[in-house]
Amino acid sequence: MKNIDSGGHVRGESIYVDDLPELNGTLVALPFFSDSAHGKVLNLDLSQTRDIPGLIGIFTAEDIPGENQIGGILSDEPLLAEEEVHFRGQPVALIVAEDIPTARKVRSRIVMNTEALEVITDPRIAKSRGQLLFPPRTFEIGDVESGFKKCTHVFKGRADSGGQEHLYIETQGAYAIPMENGNIKIHSSTQGPTIVQKTVAKVLGMAMHQVEVDVTRLGGAFGGKEDQATAWAVLAALAVKKLNRPVKLILERQDDMYATGKRHPYSSDFTIGLDKDLKIQCFEVEYYQNGGAAADLSPAIMERTLFHVTNAYCIPHVKATAYSCKTNLVPFTAFRGFGGPQAMFVMESAIALAAERLNVDKKRIQHQNLLKNGDKFHYGQLCRSDNAVLSWTELDKIRPMDIECKAIDTFNQQNVFKKRGMAVMPICFGISFTNTSMNQARSMVHIYQDGSVSVSTGAIEMGQGVNTKLTQVAAWSLNIFPSRVRMETTNTTRVANTSPTAASSGSDLNGKATQLACKEIMATLMQTASAYLGASIQKLSIRDEWVYISDKKTNLYWNELVKIAFLERKQLSAIGHYATPEIHFDKRIEKGHPFAYHVFGTSLTVVEVDCLTGMYKIPKVELVHDFGKSMNTEIDKGQVEGALMQGIGWMTVEELKYDVEGRLLSDSLSKYKVPDIYMAPGKVEIFPLQTDGEPMAILRSKAVGEPPLMYGIGTYFALAEAIKAFNPKYRPIYDAPMTPEKVLMGLYGRQG
Ligand code: LUZ
Ligand code: MOS
């Protein structure tokens, strides 16, 4: 089934927040941001703004009627700064004007005077000063201390990975509208409409039922709008509350890059221990997560890091501790993978270091240690599949790795200034919000009198195709054609208490809820048909919109059946509620069964380095991915390709740069390089792992949003191999991203 949005997208007709028709009298809002990374606010001088025509108002923390607090997990983040500012880009005031040029002019005339306080940007320094956002956590299994003593080989190392800008094409924004009786309606570009609703209510001192949030779709999010869409919606709503006029707040690209959180940079220390057969016996790791100036989603992200310590490997003795370090940078936030990729980069670095010191092929250690059915994860859950090994074996069958290695050796012998390298990257990603209570969803289904169907869920369409998948779920559950089904906007008055569309779980949770709602309506319709046809329910079915008795088609058509049920005064609407069964987690002992299932896969990446310039390209990536039984292979392949490319960008050219004063240097697209079409692999081949599918997944089709991002990690290690082929003295230092500059240093130095 084709993506239901593709026509609208291609014609440019799809609606985003800034495309909504504006009501008469709509104003624009523009935040004034702190340009100090850490300081006491002495005063905010507005004197130069007074006589600017078109300025409607400037609001600060003092104008907030409720609680000046937007922290989603911990209450540590004011919406508008009060006595102190903690990062550059922190909102301090809100300018409301007739138009954008006026608002910009006003902004340029506001002066904030601060007394500078010490600026910390390095998580290790923050940790040494005791600057943590919340207490550290340790996940442990076995006994590393005695385990290391029994190891033949023990290696210590360090790994660093950089942050990443989301670069959703639609920037952050919201359009807030005053309604009757002081109520407010907000169109928000958010993954979490309920978070927006709840926070607006809290900050404005309203009840949740006075706030309606509506989302048509997002032009990308990637985690950047899970929590950090909220501030902009609340600011717009604050202006509405103050002025009783519609207010639109859309961040321009540079403001968005400057003032919104990104993927967390991590710095980590590890010790890996192997026995004489290269079985990894022990792994000890300390993660220093750069959290920025407030907690935001860092507690949950740090938790997922701790779940993905060992990637796709079984390690009997593990001790992992994570620190979320408070720095004077914008609060870092959710980004596809949510702390998992950071952990997996450390694991792969440790294996690479061991392979290098032992002078063995990294693949040998990887393969030797893959998870098998029955293995226990360090958090207590059992691995219930052999898909790690199966995907590796399948890839090796399709593209024998030894032959690939030989081809690369031959290429490297024949070329002096071009060198190739390859890496294999197995992945394992847990599906479910790590916070068990978030794993629930609702779906409201109406059948109209003409037989057409309306479906509302908590899922947010952000380009990932969830609405297409939910259309399929509804159509298949009712045995009607997909053209009958309309996916409605996501609206808090129709579907309440939604979890954000995140954690790769949107289709699973909302799909299962939709199945339940459809099932309820189908039961009603089957009763109706049974009475009308005088046939027993057990013998009845609907196929392609016709009612059948056993295998015999009747002349009762869907439209007619719906009409009869309506005239008989039957309920043709239902709300399904789904909560993932079986999952639980006990934080006191850090053990449980947090995930509904895991997604596996293995990729093979080949890179080619130009040894005169340090530039590189990626001739190919081939991978075997565990889709379960994919319900939409085109959408799922699109997710794998997009995630792979995003992972490649994170590992290679995307470099977030801050100076010691906490100033973001890479604050525009001329300074922050994202992979473009020339950077894309010459060939991407995706082979589905043949399995029976996963019953906990919607229609046995596994969650696909995040896991394939981690295939990109292979690129880093393939580049290290290519450099080594040119410069045998090269010793990698596991410091991602591997930019062309670093490659060049590696080609002609000892490290890179
Ligand atoms: N968001 C969240 C996520 O709140 N909890 C999670 O476990 C998660 N995992 C991945 C992406 N977003
Ligand atoms: Mo996410 S990182 O699934 O919002």
Side-chain angles (χ1 to χ4, degrees):
M1 169 158 167
K2 210 163 84 175
N3 190 317
I4 57 171
D5 273 343
S6 49
H9 287 352
V10 169
R11 289 192 297 269
E13 291 168 358
S14 301
I15 299 285
Y16 302 86
V17 172
D18 208 12
D19 300 320
L20 290 165
E22 282 180 20
L23 295 167
N24 261 342
T26 294
L27 301 169
V28 299
L30 183 71
F32 171 83
F33 300 114
S34 166
D35 191 35
S36 156
H38 194 192
K40 263 202 173 63
V41 181
L42 300 175
N43 74 317
L44 195 65
D45 180 358
L46 306 178
S47 58
Q48 298 306 304
T49 66
R50 296 255 153 77
D51 50 3
I52 298 177
L55 170 61
I56 306 290
I58 300 176
F59 303 108
T60 63
E62 288 172 13
D63 297 298
I64 291 173
E67 213 183 314
N68 181 19
Q69 187 49 247
I70 60 167
I73 299 179
L74 302 176
S75 289
D76 67 347
E77 191 179 354
L79 173 68
L80 292 169
E82 296 181 17
E83 292 100 48
E84 278 193 14
V85 284
H86 293 272
F87 61 95
R88 287 174 199 272
Q90 182 172 1
V92 178
L94 184 70
I95 302 154
V96 184
E98 297 281 0
D99 53 53
I100 291 167
T102 305
R104 295 203 155 267
K105 189 162 158 191
V106 171
R107 185 159 83 169
S108 70
R109 300 225 191 136
I110 297 178
V111 181
M112 183 176 70
N113 295 301
T114 52
E115 179 189 319
L117 297 169
E118 188 195 24
V119 174
I120 297 176
T121 59
D122 182 320
R124 288 179 187 257
I125 294 174
K127 157 77 170 43
S128 72
R129 304 277 174 83
Q131 293 279 325
L132 299 181
L133 288 162
F134 43 87
R137 285 170 72 180
T138 298
F139 281 28
E140 207 171 355
I141 195 167
D143 177 7
V144 280
E145 228 152 277
S146 65
F148 275 121
K149 288 195 191 112
K150 285 183 226 139
C151 289
T152 321
H153 316 286
V154 177
F155 305 104
K156 276 181 186 302
R158 169 176 166 159
D160 291 85
S161 60
Q164 187 175 22
E165 164 63 40
H166 300 88
L167 218 89
Y168 24 68
I169 292 179
E170 181 198 24
T171 56
Q172 302 271 8
Y175 183 28
I177 298 163
M179 307 297 281
E180 286 181 335
N181 304 320
N183 298 335
I184 297 179
K185 176 170 181 175
I186 303 164
H187 298 276
S188 165
S189 181
T190 179
Q191 290 171 251
T194 295
I195 304 167
V196 169
Q197 180 194 23
K198 198 168 159 180
T199 314
V200 167
K202 176 160 85 178
V203 174
L204 300 188
M206 298 164 75
M208 282 174 79
H209 73 215
Q210 296 180 285
V211 182
E212 172 183 355
V213 179
D214 190 90
V215 183
T216 302
R217 67 164 66 71
L218 319 184
F222 311 112
K225 297 169 182 173
E226 180 173 342
D227 216 40
Q228 294 214 6
T230 305
W232 322 111
V234 181
L235 286 170
L238 172 66
V240 168
K241 181 94 176 167
K242 290 284 158 190
L243 301 165
N244 202 33
R245 282 177 66 175
V247 177
K248 196 185 238 192
L249 192 168
I250 308 277
L251 292 187
E252 297 211 345
R253 177 66 62 190
Q254 201 148 352
D255 281 355
D256 189 305
M257 292 182 77
Y258 178 67
T260 70
K262 298 139 204 333
R263 183 190 293 287
H264 292 75
Y266 273 58
S267 185
S268 310
D269 296 315
F270 61 80
T271 312
I272 185 170
L274 302 91
D275 66 19
K276 60 179 191 341
D277 302 320
L278 300 182
K279 178 87 194 80
I280 305 171
Q281 291 293 344
C282 282
F283 189 59
E284 189 167 2
V285 57
E286 291 192 320
Y287 303 105
Y288 302 94
Q289 177 194 59
N290 192 336
D296 188 83
L297 290 166
S298 294
I301 292 161
M302 188 181 95
E303 184 172 60
R304 191 173 276 279
T305 298
L306 288 166
F307 281 121
H308 290 91
V309 173
T310 65
N311 186 16
Y313 310 108
C314 175
I315 305 179
H317 306 282
V318 176
K319 184 175 181 185
T321 302
Y323 303 93
S324 186
C325 308
K326 182 173 177 179
T327 58
N328 298 108
L329 300 175
V330 59
F332 291 93
T333 194
F335 195 133
R336 207 172 192 173
F338 206 72
Q342 289 94 323
M344 287 154 70
F345 178 71
V346 180
M347 186 75 250
E348 294 301 316
S349 296
I351 294 176
L353 179 70
E356 145 130 21
R357 295 284 172 80
L358 295 170
N359 199 24
V360 299
D361 191 346
K362 181 175 183 239
K363 293 198 299 295
R364 258 186 72 197
I365 304 180
Q366 291 174 304
H367 183 242
Q368 171 88 325
N369 289 281
L370 289 173
L371 281 160
K372 295 179 188 67
N373 194 352
D375 286 344
K376 195 185 227 172
F377 287 100
H378 57 290
Y379 45 89
Q381 186 164 344
L382 292 181
C383 176
R384 273 293 161 232
S385 123
D386 278 321
N387 291 357
V389 176
L390 291 175
S391 61
W392 180 293
T393 311
E394 182 66 17
L395 184 62
D396 197 29
K397 205 156 60 186
I398 297 169
R399 195 68 62 214
M401 296 173 192
D402 286 343
I403 295 178
E404 203 63 42
C405 271
K406 286 212 188 77
I408 287 174
D409 287 344
T410 309
F411 179 93
N412 288 345
Q413 278 158 20
Q414 289 169 349
N415 290 274
V416 180
F417 289 114
K418 285 208 191 308
K419 296 293 178 192
R420 286 191 171 189
M422 72 172 256
V424 180
M425 180 69 200
I427 60 152
C428 167
F429 197 79
I431 301 302
S432 288
F433 287 95
T434 60
N435 177 353
T436 301
S437 67
M438 291 170 78
N439 295 287
Q440 52 171 318
R442 292 152 193 84
S443 173
M444 180 166 71
V445 177
H446 300 312
I447 316 283
Y448 292 109
Q449 292 170 55
D450 66 352
S452 65
V453 177
S454 153
V455 179
S456 294
T457 74
I460 299 290
E461 175 62 52
M462 49 188 131
Q464 86 280 42
V466 70
N467 278 354
T468 303
K469 287 188 170 181
L470 293 173
T471 301
Q472 288 178 276
V473 170
W476 295 358
S477 303
L478 300 169
N479 304 300
I480 58 175
F481 298 117
S483 55
R484 294 261 188 195
V485 180
R486 164 176 163 158
M487 289 306 303
E488 306 288 350
T489 66
T490 312
N491 185 300
T492 53
T493 67
R494 269 179 271 117
V495 177
N497 307 321
T498 64
S499 287
T501 299
S504 305
S505 69
S507 299
D508 274 3
L509 297 177
N510 295 283
K512 295 253 181 186
T514 301
Q515 275 184 323
L516 291 170
C518 291
K519 200 172 154 194
E520 195 177 315
I521 299 173
M522 273 301 270
T524 306
L525 289 173
M526 290 324 244
Q527 272 167 11
T528 309
S530 164
Y532 181 81
L533 295 168
S536 85
I537 284 195
Q538 286 73 28
K539 291 200 174 126
L540 287 181
S541 64
I542 298 180
R543 300 180 204 172
D544 288 349
E545 310 201 334
W546 287 94
V547 178
Y548 280 69
I549 300 175
S550 298
D551 276 337
K552 197 166 163 291
K553 191 171 169 179
T554 67
N555 54 12
L556 185 56
Y557 188 52
W558 172 260
N559 295 35
E560 192 59 25
L561 174 60
V562 169
K563 200 164 124 195
I564 294 166
F566 171 73
L567 293 173
E568 288 178 359
R569 302 187 292 173
K570 296 277 173 61
Q571 166 68 303
L572 291 174
S573 299
I575 294 182
H577 174 253
Y578 177 74
T580 311
E582 289 174 40
I583 53 173
H584 57 87
F585 193 71
D586 184 347
K587 284 194 185 186
R588 288 165 307 177
I589 51 171
E590 308 287 26
K591 292 273 185 291
H593 185 113
F595 298 120
Y597 57 90
H598 291 84
V599 172
F600 300 88
T602 306
S603 67
L604 186 160
T605 302
V606 177
V607 300
E608 184 177 312
V609 170
D610 177 335
C611 302
L612 292 174
T613 64
M615 304 273 282
Y616 44 76
K617 55 187 183 184
I618 305 169
K620 69 172 181 187
V621 177
E622 294 175 303
L623 59 93
V624 173
H625 185 76
D626 170 22
F627 292 98
K629 280 231 164 312
S630 175
M631 64 181 288
N632 192 316
T633 54
E634 293 308 306
I635 282 177
D636 284 352
K637 274 194 170 180
Q639 285 294 299
V640 173
E641 289 173 358
L644 168 68
M645 206 59 232
Q646 209 160 28
I648 289 174
W650 174 52
M651 281 286 114
T652 59
V653 294
E654 294 187 47
E655 190 175 31
L656 273 189
K657 277 262 192 199
Y658 291 94
D659 68 11
V660 289
E661 306 274 81
R663 189 177 285 111
L664 177 66
L665 301 174
S666 49
D667 65 349
S668 69
L669 285 168
S670 57
K671 293 176 264 180
Y672 184 80
K673 171 93 176 126
V674 285
D676 57 17
I677 190 70
Y678 301 104
M679 178 95 200
K683 183 170 103 176
V684 177
E685 286 224 57
I686 299 163
F687 304 99
L689 184 67
Q690 298 302 324
T691 68
D692 292 336
E694 166 58 53
M696 294 276 268
I698 182 66
L699 297 168
R700 298 186 164 258
S701 180
K702 282 189 168 184
V704 73
E706 295 172 291
L709 182 132
M710 274 66 82
Y711 293 132
I713 294 172
T715 323
Y716 185 94
F717 296 95
L719 283 167
E721 290 300 314
I723 299 169
K724 232 182 287 175
F726 182 79
N727 175 11
K729 290 205 189 76
Y730 171 68
R731 295 288 168 268
I733 56 169
Y734 312 115
D735 182 15
M738 184 75 94
T739 58
E741 292 87 338
K742 276 191 206 153
V743 171
L744 194 60
M745 301 293 273
L747 289 166
Y748 296 97
R750 297 186 62 87
Q751 287 194 328

